[in-house]
Amino acid sequence: FFSLVVSLEAEVTSGHKHCLAACISERIIVRASSPSNFDLEQQLWERVDNSSIRYMGNVGINIERPEAATLAVGGNVLVSGTLNHYSDMRVKENLKIANTSDELQKVKQLNLYNYNYTEEFCDYSNIEDPQQFGVMAQEVQNILPDAVRSTGGVTLNSGKLENLLSVNKDRIYM
C-alpha cells in the first residue's frame, strides 16, 4: 500500500519553494502491469528535490489500465480548488473566432439524460453514486466527433467492452 501525497508549491524568484497546501491520501493500491516489469518502470521515476517526485509516463490510481490518460483515476476525485487549463494566447496559433451560433446549434442537438451506471461498472470503476446526469458518447460522436475518444476496452465479469468511449465535456459546455 502507498499514500498519495500532493502539494502545491510557490517558487519565488530567489529559487526558494514554499508549500502553500499539501494533502495525503488514505492507503491506496498501486499496481504495476507485471511485477517483473516494475523494475524496468522505476527508471521513469525521478526525484526532483526533497519534496517532489516526477514520473514520466501514465499513472493510474485505483484503476487497472492507466493507458487512457496521463493520470487515470478509478473513482471520485475531490479538488478543493480549481482545475486550470492553459489558455494563454502566447502558446496558441491558428486562432479563428468560432461561430458561437453554429456551436450552440450543435450543443442543442444533444440529449441530456438522467441515468444509472450498471452495478458491475460501478464496482469496476469505483463509482460510489451510480446516479448520473449527462450525455451519451455515441450521440455526441455523431454531432461533435472531436469531443469523443476511445479509452480502449474494459473487462467486466459479464465480458469485455471494446472501444469504451469518453467525452471531453469542456468541448461541449465551453
PDB file of all heavy atoms in Angstrom, residues 110-144:
ATOM      1  N   LEU A 110     -27.870  17.823 -28.688  1.00  0.00           N
ATOM      2  CA  LEU A 110     -27.526  16.757 -27.750  1.00  0.00           C
ATOM      3  C   LEU A 110     -28.656  16.517 -26.768  1.00  0.00           C
ATOM      4  O   LEU A 110     -29.263  17.452 -26.264  1.00  0.00           O
ATOM      5  CB  LEU A 110     -26.253  17.119 -26.975  1.00  0.00           C
ATOM      6  CG  LEU A 110     -24.990  17.284 -27.804  1.00  0.00           C
ATOM      7  CD1 LEU A 110     -23.851  17.796 -26.922  1.00  0.00           C
ATOM      8  CD2 LEU A 110     -24.609  15.983 -28.478  1.00  0.00           C
ATOM      9  N   ASN A 111     -28.920  15.254 -26.503  1.00  0.00           N
ATOM     10  CA  ASN A 111     -29.886  14.887 -25.469  1.00  0.00           C
ATOM     11  C   ASN A 111     -29.157  14.797 -24.135  1.00  0.00           C
ATOM     12  O   ASN A 111     -28.024  14.333 -24.062  1.00  0.00           O
ATOM     13  CB  ASN A 111     -30.521  13.526 -25.782  1.00  0.00           C
ATOM     14  CG  ASN A 111     -31.390  13.588 -27.007  1.00  0.00           C
ATOM     15  OD1 ASN A 111     -32.222  14.475 -27.150  1.00  0.00           O
ATOM     16  ND2 ASN A 111     -31.190  12.648 -27.919  1.00  0.00           N
ATOM     17  N   LEU A 112     -29.813  15.228 -23.082  1.00  0.00           N
ATOM     18  CA  LEU A 112     -29.290  15.082 -21.732  1.00  0.00           C
ATOM     19  C   LEU A 112     -30.106  14.006 -21.032  1.00  0.00           C
ATOM     20  O   LEU A 112     -31.319  13.938 -21.196  1.00  0.00           O
ATOM     21  CB  LEU A 112     -29.381  16.408 -20.965  1.00  0.00           C
ATOM     22  CG  LEU A 112     -28.545  17.545 -21.540  1.00  0.00           C
ATOM     23  CD1 LEU A 112     -28.817  18.845 -20.778  1.00  0.00           C
ATOM     24  CD2 LEU A 112     -27.060  17.208 -21.475  1.00  0.00           C
ATOM     25  N   TYR A 113     -29.427  13.175 -20.266  1.00  0.00           N
ATOM     26  CA  TYR A 113     -30.073  12.026 -19.642  1.00  0.00           C
ATOM     27  C   TYR A 113     -29.814  12.002 -18.143  1.00  0.00           C
ATOM     28  O   TYR A 113     -28.732  12.371 -17.685  1.00  0.00           O
ATOM     29  CB  TYR A 113     -29.505  10.718 -20.210  1.00  0.00           C
ATOM     30  CG  TYR A 113     -29.778  10.496 -21.670  1.00  0.00           C
ATOM     31  CD1 TYR A 113     -28.912  10.978 -22.638  1.00  0.00           C
ATOM     32  CD2 TYR A 113     -30.895   9.782 -22.080  1.00  0.00           C
ATOM     33  CE1 TYR A 113     -29.148  10.754 -23.987  1.00  0.00           C
ATOM     34  CE2 TYR A 113     -31.139   9.545 -23.426  1.00  0.00           C
ATOM     35  CZ  TYR A 113     -30.263  10.044 -24.372  1.00  0.00           C
ATOM     36  OH  TYR A 113     -30.493   9.810 -25.705  1.00  0.00           O
ATOM     37  N   ASN A 114     -30.799  11.519 -17.397  1.00  0.00           N
ATOM     38  CA  ASN A 114     -30.592  11.023 -16.042  1.00  0.00           C
ATOM     39  C   ASN A 114     -30.423   9.523 -16.220  1.00  0.00           C
ATOM     40  O   ASN A 114     -31.224   8.885 -16.920  1.00  0.00           O
ATOM     41  CB  ASN A 114     -31.808  11.299 -15.159  1.00  0.00           C
ATOM     42  CG  ASN A 114     -31.958  12.767 -14.852  1.00  0.00           C
ATOM     43  OD1 ASN A 114     -31.057  13.378 -14.304  1.00  0.00           O
ATOM     44  ND2 ASN A 114     -33.093  13.339 -15.229  1.00  0.00           N
ATOM     45  N   TYR A 115     -29.403   8.934 -15.608  1.00  0.00           N
ATOM     46  CA  TYR A 115     -29.156   7.504 -15.803  1.00  0.00           C
ATOM     47  C   TYR A 115     -28.396   6.943 -14.614  1.00  0.00           C
ATOM     48  O   TYR A 115     -27.907   7.688 -13.769  1.00  0.00           O
ATOM     49  CB  TYR A 115     -28.372   7.247 -17.097  1.00  0.00           C
ATOM     50  CG  TYR A 115     -27.021   7.921 -17.141  1.00  0.00           C
ATOM     51  CD1 TYR A 115     -25.886   7.264 -16.683  1.00  0.00           C
ATOM     52  CD2 TYR A 115     -26.879   9.218 -17.619  1.00  0.00           C
ATOM     53  CE1 TYR A 115     -24.649   7.875 -16.713  1.00  0.00           C
ATOM     54  CE2 TYR A 115     -25.653   9.842 -17.646  1.00  0.00           C
ATOM     55  CZ  TYR A 115     -24.534   9.164 -17.192  1.00  0.00           C
ATOM     56  OH  TYR A 115     -23.319   9.793 -17.215  1.00  0.00           O
ATOM     57  N   ASN A 116     -28.324   5.625 -14.562  1.00  0.00           N
ATOM     58  CA  ASN A 116     -27.522   4.929 -13.555  1.00  0.00           C
ATOM     59  C   ASN A 116     -26.480   4.089 -14.274  1.00  0.00           C
ATOM     60  O   ASN A 116     -26.803   3.390 -15.250  1.00  0.00           O
ATOM     61  CB  ASN A 116     -28.383   3.978 -12.718  1.00  0.00           C
ATOM     62  CG  ASN A 116     -29.332   4.714 -11.806  1.00  0.00           C
ATOM     63  OD1 ASN A 116     -29.231   5.920 -11.620  1.00  0.00           O
ATOM     64  ND2 ASN A 116     -30.260   3.977 -11.242  1.00  0.00           N
ATOM     65  N   TYR A 117     -25.233   4.153 -13.803  1.00  0.00           N
ATOM     66  CA  TYR A 117     -24.240   3.202 -14.275  1.00  0.00           C
ATOM     67  C   TYR A 117     -24.630   1.824 -13.756  1.00  0.00           C
ATOM     68  O   TYR A 117     -25.225   1.696 -12.675  1.00  0.00           O
ATOM     69  CB  TYR A 117     -22.850   3.555 -13.741  1.00  0.00           C
ATOM     70  CG  TYR A 117     -22.165   4.668 -14.500  1.00  0.00           C
ATOM     71  CD1 TYR A 117     -21.817   5.847 -13.867  1.00  0.00           C
ATOM     72  CD2 TYR A 117     -21.833   4.531 -15.843  1.00  0.00           C
ATOM     73  CE1 TYR A 117     -21.167   6.862 -14.550  1.00  0.00           C
ATOM     74  CE2 TYR A 117     -21.195   5.539 -16.533  1.00  0.00           C
ATOM     75  CZ  TYR A 117     -20.862   6.699 -15.887  1.00  0.00           C
ATOM     76  OH  TYR A 117     -20.228   7.691 -16.566  1.00  0.00           O
ATOM     77  N   THR A 118     -24.286   0.782 -14.480  1.00  0.00           N
ATOM     78  CA  THR A 118     -24.572  -0.567 -14.017  1.00  0.00           C
ATOM     79  C   THR A 118     -23.764  -0.853 -12.756  1.00  0.00           C
ATOM     80  O   THR A 118     -22.685  -0.272 -12.550  1.00  0.00           O
ATOM     81  CB  THR A 118     -24.218  -1.625 -15.086  1.00  0.00           C
ATOM     82  OG1 THR A 118     -22.800  -1.590 -15.310  1.00  0.00           O
ATOM     83  CG2 THR A 118     -24.973  -1.376 -16.380  1.00  0.00           C
ATOM     84  N   GLU A 119     -24.282  -1.720 -11.919  1.00  0.00           N
ATOM     85  CA  GLU A 119     -23.584  -2.066 -10.684  1.00  0.00           C
ATOM     86  C   GLU A 119     -22.203  -2.633 -10.989  1.00  0.00           C
ATOM     87  O   GLU A 119     -21.220  -2.313 -10.319  1.00  0.00           O
ATOM     88  CB  GLU A 119     -24.416  -3.081  -9.892  1.00  0.00           C
ATOM     89  CG  GLU A 119     -23.807  -3.449  -8.558  1.00  0.00           C
ATOM     90  CD  GLU A 119     -24.682  -4.398  -7.761  1.00  0.00           C
ATOM     91  OE1 GLU A 119     -25.898  -4.464  -8.011  1.00  0.00           O
ATOM     92  OE2 GLU A 119     -24.118  -5.067  -6.877  1.00  0.00           O
ATOM     93  N   GLU A 120     -22.137  -3.441 -12.038  1.00  0.00           N
ATOM     94  CA  GLU A 120     -20.859  -4.055 -12.417  1.00  0.00           C
ATOM     95  C   GLU A 120     -19.830  -2.993 -12.818  1.00  0.00           C
ATOM     96  O   GLU A 120     -18.667  -3.060 -12.431  1.00  0.00           O
ATOM     97  CB  GLU A 120     -21.101  -5.036 -13.568  1.00  0.00           C
ATOM     98  CG  GLU A 120     -19.878  -5.812 -13.966  1.00  0.00           C
ATOM     99  CD  GLU A 120     -20.156  -6.802 -15.076  1.00  0.00           C
ATOM    100  OE1 GLU A 120     -21.085  -6.567 -15.898  1.00  0.00           O
ATOM    101  OE2 GLU A 120     -19.436  -7.802 -15.130  1.00  0.00           O
ATOM    102  N   PHE A 121     -20.251  -1.974 -13.570  1.00  0.00           N
ATOM    103  CA  PHE A 121     -19.331  -0.915 -13.986  1.00  0.00           C
ATOM    104  C   PHE A 121     -18.941  -0.035 -12.790  1.00  0.00           C
ATOM    105  O   PHE A 121     -17.797   0.402 -12.691  1.00  0.00           O
ATOM    106  CB  PHE A 121     -19.925  -0.073 -15.111  1.00  0.00           C
ATOM    107  CG  PHE A 121     -18.941   0.902 -15.698  1.00  0.00           C
ATOM    108  CD1 PHE A 121     -17.897   0.455 -16.492  1.00  0.00           C
ATOM    109  CD2 PHE A 121     -19.043   2.254 -15.430  1.00  0.00           C
ATOM    110  CE1 PHE A 121     -16.968   1.335 -17.017  1.00  0.00           C
ATOM    111  CE2 PHE A 121     -18.122   3.149 -15.953  1.00  0.00           C
ATOM    112  CZ  PHE A 121     -17.079   2.691 -16.748  1.00  0.00           C
ATOM    113  N   CYS A 122     -19.884   0.199 -11.876  1.00  0.00           N
ATOM    114  CA  CYS A 122     -19.561   0.958 -10.660  1.00  0.00           C
ATOM    115  C   CYS A 122     -18.486   0.238  -9.851  1.00  0.00           C
ATOM    116  O   CYS A 122     -17.542   0.871  -9.371  1.00  0.00           O
ATOM    117  CB  CYS A 122     -20.796   1.166  -9.797  1.00  0.00           C
ATOM    118  SG  CYS A 122     -21.938   2.389 -10.442  1.00  0.00           S
ATOM    119  N   ASP A 123     -18.620  -1.075  -9.721  1.00  0.00           N
ATOM    120  CA  ASP A 123     -17.619  -1.854  -8.990  1.00  0.00           C
ATOM    121  C   ASP A 123     -16.264  -1.756  -9.683  1.00  0.00           C
ATOM    122  O   ASP A 123     -15.236  -1.548  -9.041  1.00  0.00           O
ATOM    123  CB  ASP A 123     -18.041  -3.320  -8.871  1.00  0.00           C
ATOM    124  CG  ASP A 123     -19.223  -3.520  -7.936  1.00  0.00           C
ATOM    125  OD1 ASP A 123     -19.520  -2.597  -7.138  1.00  0.00           O
ATOM    126  OD2 ASP A 123     -19.859  -4.586  -8.019  1.00  0.00           O
ATOM    127  N   TYR A 124     -16.251  -1.898 -10.989  1.00  0.00           N
ATOM    128  CA  TYR A 124     -15.013  -1.850 -11.769  1.00  0.00           C
ATOM    129  C   TYR A 124     -14.354  -0.478 -11.661  1.00  0.00           C
ATOM    130  O   TYR A 124     -13.143  -0.361 -11.509  1.00  0.00           O
ATOM    131  CB  TYR A 124     -15.307  -2.180 -13.240  1.00  0.00           C
ATOM    132  CG  TYR A 124     -14.115  -1.979 -14.141  1.00  0.00           C
ATOM    133  CD1 TYR A 124     -13.163  -2.984 -14.290  1.00  0.00           C
ATOM    134  CD2 TYR A 124     -13.942  -0.787 -14.833  1.00  0.00           C
ATOM    135  CE1 TYR A 124     -12.066  -2.801 -15.103  1.00  0.00           C
ATOM    136  CE2 TYR A 124     -12.840  -0.594 -15.658  1.00  0.00           C
ATOM    137  CZ  TYR A 124     -11.906  -1.608 -15.783  1.00  0.00           C
ATOM    138  OH  TYR A 124     -10.821  -1.415 -16.595  1.00  0.00           O
ATOM    139  N   SER A 125     -15.147   0.585 -11.729  1.00  0.00           N
ATOM    140  CA  SER A 125     -14.622   1.947 -11.789  1.00  0.00           C
ATOM    141  C   SER A 125     -14.593   2.651 -10.440  1.00  0.00           C
ATOM    142  O   SER A 125     -14.239   3.824 -10.364  1.00  0.00           O
ATOM    143  CB  SER A 125     -15.465   2.787 -12.759  1.00  0.00           C
ATOM    144  OG  SER A 125     -15.420   2.243 -14.040  1.00  0.00           O
ATOM    145  N   ASN A 126     -14.991   1.962  -9.384  1.00  0.00           N
ATOM    146  CA  ASN A 126     -15.045   2.556  -8.047  1.00  0.00           C
ATOM    147  C   ASN A 126     -15.932   3.794  -7.997  1.00  0.00           C
ATOM    148  O   ASN A 126     -15.603   4.794  -7.368  1.00  0.00           O
ATOM    149  CB  ASN A 126     -13.636   2.879  -7.540  1.00  0.00           C
ATOM    150  CG  ASN A 126     -12.800   1.642  -7.401  1.00  0.00           C
ATOM    151  OD1 ASN A 126     -13.154   0.733  -6.672  1.00  0.00           O
ATOM    152  ND2 ASN A 126     -11.709   1.588  -8.147  1.00  0.00           N
ATOM    153  N   ILE A 127     -17.056   3.727  -8.667  1.00  0.00           N
ATOM    154  CA  ILE A 127     -18.026   4.823  -8.668  1.00  0.00           C
ATOM    155  C   ILE A 127     -18.952   4.607  -7.479  1.00  0.00           C
ATOM    156  O   ILE A 127     -19.583   3.568  -7.357  1.00  0.00           O
ATOM    157  CB  ILE A 127     -18.822   4.860  -9.989  1.00  0.00           C
ATOM    158  CG1 ILE A 127     -17.879   5.160 -11.148  1.00  0.00           C
ATOM    159  CG2 ILE A 127     -19.958   5.872  -9.922  1.00  0.00           C
ATOM    160  CD1 ILE A 127     -18.517   5.028 -12.519  1.00  0.00           C
ATOM    161  N   GLU A 128     -19.008   5.593  -6.589  1.00  0.00           N
ATOM    162  CA  GLU A 128     -19.819   5.457  -5.379  1.00  0.00           C
ATOM    163  C   GLU A 128     -21.295   5.692  -5.642  1.00  0.00           C
ATOM    164  O   GLU A 128     -22.145   5.011  -5.098  1.00  0.00           O
ATOM    165  CB  GLU A 128     -19.323   6.431  -4.309  1.00  0.00           C
ATOM    166  CG  GLU A 128     -17.946   6.075  -3.782  1.00  0.00           C
ATOM    167  CD  GLU A 128     -17.437   7.090  -2.785  1.00  0.00           C
ATOM    168  OE1 GLU A 128     -18.235   7.873  -2.248  1.00  0.00           O
ATOM    169  OE2 GLU A 128     -16.218   7.088  -2.537  1.00  0.00           O
ATOM    170  N   ASP A 129     -21.625   6.661  -6.456  1.00  0.00           N
ATOM    171  CA  ASP A 129     -23.021   7.010  -6.719  1.00  0.00           C
ATOM    172  C   ASP A 129     -23.348   6.698  -8.175  1.00  0.00           C
ATOM    173  O   ASP A 129     -22.892   7.398  -9.075  1.00  0.00           O
ATOM    174  CB  ASP A 129     -23.263   8.491  -6.432  1.00  0.00           C
ATOM    175  CG  ASP A 129     -24.721   8.895  -6.589  1.00  0.00           C
ATOM    176  OD1 ASP A 129     -25.576   8.018  -6.868  1.00  0.00           O
ATOM    177  OD2 ASP A 129     -25.007  10.092  -6.442  1.00  0.00           O
ATOM    178  N   PRO A 130     -24.131   5.668  -8.427  1.00  0.00           N
ATOM    179  CA  PRO A 130     -24.419   5.297  -9.819  1.00  0.00           C
ATOM    180  C   PRO A 130     -25.330   6.284 -10.542  1.00  0.00           C
ATOM    181  O   PRO A 130     -25.360   6.313 -11.766  1.00  0.00           O
ATOM    182  CB  PRO A 130     -25.097   3.929  -9.696  1.00  0.00           C
ATOM    183  CG  PRO A 130     -25.659   3.908  -8.320  1.00  0.00           C
ATOM    184  CD  PRO A 130     -24.757   4.759  -7.473  1.00  0.00           C
ATOM    185  N   GLN A 131     -26.090   7.110  -9.795  1.00  0.00           N
ATOM    186  CA  GLN A 131     -26.999   8.065 -10.432  1.00  0.00           C
ATOM    187  C   GLN A 131     -26.193   9.219 -11.020  1.00  0.00           C
ATOM    188  O   GLN A 131     -25.424   9.867 -10.320  1.00  0.00           O
ATOM    189  CB  GLN A 131     -28.019   8.604  -9.438  1.00  0.00           C
ATOM    190  CG  GLN A 131     -28.987   7.554  -8.966  1.00  0.00           C
ATOM    191  CD  GLN A 131     -30.033   8.134  -8.028  1.00  0.00           C
ATOM    192  OE1 GLN A 131     -29.830   9.159  -7.396  1.00  0.00           O
ATOM    193  NE2 GLN A 131     -31.151   7.445  -7.939  1.00  0.00           N
ATOM    194  N   GLN A 132     -26.393   9.442 -12.321  1.00  0.00           N
ATOM    195  CA  GLN A 132     -25.611  10.449 -13.037  1.00  0.00           C
ATOM    196  C   GLN A 132     -26.522  11.275 -13.926  1.00  0.00           C
ATOM    197  O   GLN A 132     -27.680  10.922 -14.172  1.00  0.00           O
ATOM    198  CB  GLN A 132     -24.534   9.778 -13.901  1.00  0.00           C
ATOM    199  CG  GLN A 132     -23.570   8.907 -13.130  1.00  0.00           C
ATOM    200  CD  GLN A 132     -22.591   9.694 -12.306  1.00  0.00           C
ATOM    201  OE1 GLN A 132     -22.079  10.727 -12.735  1.00  0.00           O
ATOM    202  NE2 GLN A 132     -22.304   9.216 -11.104  1.00  0.00           N
ATOM    203  N   PHE A 133     -25.965  12.348 -14.456  1.00  0.00           N
ATOM    204  CA  PHE A 133     -26.654  13.220 -15.392  1.00  0.00           C
ATOM    205  C   PHE A 133     -25.644  13.582 -16.467  1.00  0.00           C
ATOM    206  O   PHE A 133     -24.516  13.968 -16.162  1.00  0.00           O
ATOM    207  CB  PHE A 133     -27.142  14.489 -14.687  1.00  0.00           C
ATOM    208  CG  PHE A 133     -27.796  15.482 -15.608  1.00  0.00           C
ATOM    209  CD1 PHE A 133     -29.115  15.308 -15.991  1.00  0.00           C
ATOM    210  CD2 PHE A 133     -27.099  16.576 -16.094  1.00  0.00           C
ATOM    211  CE1 PHE A 133     -29.726  16.219 -16.836  1.00  0.00           C
ATOM    212  CE2 PHE A 133     -27.689  17.489 -16.936  1.00  0.00           C
ATOM    213  CZ  PHE A 133     -29.019  17.310 -17.307  1.00  0.00           C
ATOM    214  N   GLY A 134     -26.021  13.419 -17.731  1.00  0.00           N
ATOM    215  CA  GLY A 134     -25.071  13.767 -18.781  1.00  0.00           C
ATOM    216  C   GLY A 134     -25.517  13.318 -20.151  1.00  0.00           C
ATOM    217  O   GLY A 134     -26.705  13.115 -20.407  1.00  0.00           O
ATOM    218  N   VAL A 135     -24.532  13.135 -21.003  1.00  0.00           N
ATOM    219  CA  VAL A 135     -24.758  12.807 -22.409  1.00  0.00           C
ATOM    220  C   VAL A 135     -24.309  11.376 -22.686  1.00  0.00           C
ATOM    221  O   VAL A 135     -23.662  10.751 -21.851  1.00  0.00           O
ATOM    222  CB  VAL A 135     -23.987  13.787 -23.322  1.00  0.00           C
ATOM    223  CG1 VAL A 135     -24.528  15.198 -23.195  1.00  0.00           C
ATOM    224  CG2 VAL A 135     -22.499  13.759 -23.013  1.00  0.00           C
ATOM    225  N   MET A 136     -24.652  10.856 -23.852  1.00  0.00           N
ATOM    226  CA  MET A 136     -24.199   9.553 -24.310  1.00  0.00           C
ATOM    227  C   MET A 136     -23.122   9.774 -25.379  1.00  0.00           C
ATOM    228  O   MET A 136     -23.351  10.515 -26.343  1.00  0.00           O
ATOM    229  CB  MET A 136     -25.346   8.738 -24.917  1.00  0.00           C
ATOM    230  CG  MET A 136     -26.486   8.437 -23.952  1.00  0.00           C
ATOM    231  SD  MET A 136     -25.965   7.437 -22.548  1.00  0.00           S
ATOM    232  CE  MET A 136     -26.441   8.512 -21.204  1.00  0.00           C
ATOM    233  N   ALA A 137     -21.971   9.162 -25.184  1.00  0.00           N
ATOM    234  CA  ALA A 137     -20.830   9.392 -26.074  1.00  0.00           C
ATOM    235  C   ALA A 137     -21.156   9.093 -27.531  1.00  0.00           C
ATOM    236  O   ALA A 137     -20.721   9.811 -28.433  1.00  0.00           O
ATOM    237  CB  ALA A 137     -19.640   8.559 -25.613  1.00  0.00           C
ATOM    238  N   GLN A 138     -21.931   8.041 -27.791  1.00  0.00           N
ATOM    239  CA  GLN A 138     -22.262   7.688 -29.169  1.00  0.00           C
ATOM    240  C   GLN A 138     -23.058   8.805 -29.850  1.00  0.00           C
ATOM    241  O   GLN A 138     -22.861   9.078 -31.035  1.00  0.00           O
ATOM    242  CB  GLN A 138     -23.042   6.362 -29.228  1.00  0.00           C
ATOM    243  CG  GLN A 138     -22.193   5.144 -28.918  1.00  0.00           C
ATOM    244  CD  GLN A 138     -21.974   4.891 -27.431  1.00  0.00           C
ATOM    245  OE1 GLN A 138     -22.322   5.698 -26.571  1.00  0.00           O
ATOM    246  NE2 GLN A 138     -21.365   3.749 -27.128  1.00  0.00           N
ATOM    247  N   GLU A 139     -23.963   9.454 -29.117  1.00  0.00           N
ATOM    248  CA  GLU A 139     -24.731  10.567 -29.682  1.00  0.00           C
ATOM    249  C   GLU A 139     -23.836  11.786 -29.895  1.00  0.00           C
ATOM    250  O   GLU A 139     -23.927  12.470 -30.905  1.00  0.00           O
ATOM    251  CB  GLU A 139     -25.908  10.931 -28.777  1.00  0.00           C
ATOM    252  CG  GLU A 139     -26.986   9.870 -28.737  1.00  0.00           C
ATOM    253  CD  GLU A 139     -28.156  10.240 -27.829  1.00  0.00           C
ATOM    254  OE1 GLU A 139     -28.200  11.379 -27.313  1.00  0.00           O
ATOM    255  OE2 GLU A 139     -29.030   9.379 -27.628  1.00  0.00           O
ATOM    256  N   VAL A 140     -22.966  12.059 -28.929  1.00  0.00           N
ATOM    257  CA  VAL A 140     -22.046  13.188 -29.055  1.00  0.00           C
ATOM    258  C   VAL A 140     -21.136  12.978 -30.265  1.00  0.00           C
ATOM    259  O   VAL A 140     -20.862  13.911 -31.023  1.00  0.00           O
ATOM    260  CB  VAL A 140     -21.209  13.369 -27.769  1.00  0.00           C
ATOM    261  CG1 VAL A 140     -20.156  14.457 -27.960  1.00  0.00           C
ATOM    262  CG2 VAL A 140     -22.101  13.691 -26.589  1.00  0.00           C
ATOM    263  N   GLN A 141     -20.700  11.755 -30.457  1.00  0.00           N
ATOM    264  CA  GLN A 141     -19.793  11.434 -31.563  1.00  0.00           C
ATOM    265  C   GLN A 141     -20.403  11.784 -32.922  1.00  0.00           C
ATOM    266  O   GLN A 141     -19.701  12.207 -33.830  1.00  0.00           O
ATOM    267  CB  GLN A 141     -19.433   9.954 -31.505  1.00  0.00           C
ATOM    268  CG  GLN A 141     -18.269   9.553 -32.356  1.00  0.00           C
ATOM    269  CD  GLN A 141     -17.827   8.140 -32.051  1.00  0.00           C
ATOM    270  OE1 GLN A 141     -18.658   7.255 -31.802  1.00  0.00           O
ATOM    271  NE2 GLN A 141     -16.543   7.912 -32.058  1.00  0.00           N
ATOM    272  N   ASN A 142     -21.715  11.639 -33.051  1.00  0.00           N
ATOM    273  CA  ASN A 142     -22.382  11.975 -34.312  1.00  0.00           C
ATOM    274  C   ASN A 142     -22.450  13.482 -34.554  1.00  0.00           C
ATOM    275  O   ASN A 142     -22.528  13.924 -35.696  1.00  0.00           O
ATOM    276  CB  ASN A 142     -23.807  11.404 -34.332  1.00  0.00           C
ATOM    277  CG  ASN A 142     -23.813   9.902 -34.416  1.00  0.00           C
ATOM    278  OD1 ASN A 142     -22.917   9.292 -35.003  1.00  0.00           O
ATOM    279  ND2 ASN A 142     -24.807   9.287 -33.810  1.00  0.00           N
ATOM    280  N   ILE A 143     -22.425  14.271 -33.484  1.00  0.00           N
ATOM    281  CA  ILE A 143     -22.606  15.727 -33.603  1.00  0.00           C
ATOM    282  C   ILE A 143     -21.285  16.478 -33.434  1.00  0.00           C
ATOM    283  O   ILE A 143     -20.989  17.403 -34.183  1.00  0.00           O
ATOM    284  CB  ILE A 143     -23.650  16.202 -32.565  1.00  0.00           C
ATOM    285  CG1 ILE A 143     -24.995  15.538 -32.858  1.00  0.00           C
ATOM    286  CG2 ILE A 143     -23.778  17.725 -32.574  1.00  0.00           C
ATOM    287  CD1 ILE A 143     -25.996  15.630 -31.735  1.00  0.00           C
ATOM    288  N   LEU A 144     -20.492  16.073 -32.451  1.00  0.00           N
ATOM    289  CA  LEU A 144     -19.195  16.695 -32.166  1.00  0.00           C
ATOM    290  C   LEU A 144     -18.129  15.604 -32.073  1.00  0.00           C
ATOM    291  O   LEU A 144     -17.699  15.232 -30.977  1.00  0.00           O
ATOM    292  CB  LEU A 144     -19.249  17.474 -30.848  1.00  0.00           C
ATOM    293  CG  LEU A 144     -20.186  18.664 -30.770  1.00  0.00           C
ATOM    294  CD1 LEU A 144     -20.395  19.097 -29.324  1.00  0.00           C
ATOM    295  CD2 LEU A 144     -19.631  19.808 -31.596  1.00  0.00           C
TER     296      LEU A 144
END
